[in-house]
Amino acid sequence: MAAFWDAVMPYVQVLLPTIVLALLFWFVMRGIFNADRREREAEARADAQYAERLAAAKARRQGAEGAAGSAGASEGNDGASEGNDGAQAP
């Protein structure tokens, strides 16, 4: 049995550092790719939430302008919304 280890040990000593570094590199790259994937998913969720809030704000604004326009039309108003400086809701 000692002869086997004497014959195999030089190969293990040569290959072991390469195998360890390859595994370390694989774990680091896997962590980077997983972090990037999670970040992209989180950004997509945030973009979707922002688009929903923007659409809801636009719908509220159009509903308010429509109500003001119909009330203003009966009063002789041109339906322009007062105090709207063009700023968008978050």
Side-chain angles (χ1 to χ4, degrees):
M1 187 70 171
F4 173 76
W5 286 112
D6 289 339
V8 172
M9 195 51 82
Y11 295 106
V12 171
Q13 289 174 344
V14 168
L15 293 176
L16 191 61
T18 303
I19 292 170
V20 169
L21 285 177
L23 286 173
L24 180 65
F25 177 77
W26 182 74
F27 280 117
V28 168
M29 292 306 292
R30 185 178 72 163
I32 289 171
F33 285 130
N34 285 339
D36 182 58
R37 178 181 47 83
R38 287 189 303 266
E39 181 181 358
R40 288 176 187 265
E41 290 171 355
E43 186 175 355
R45 282 192 307 269
D47 287 344
Q49 288 174 352
Y50 177 74
E52 289 175 10
R53 285 187 297 191
L54 192 61
K58 186 176 181 181
R60 282 193 311 266
R61 189 171 44 242
Q62 286 178 346
E65 288 175 356
S70 63
S74 64
E75 297 174 2
N77 192 356
D78 63 352
S81 175
E82 296 180 29
N84 186 3
D85 60 352
Q88 295 182 353

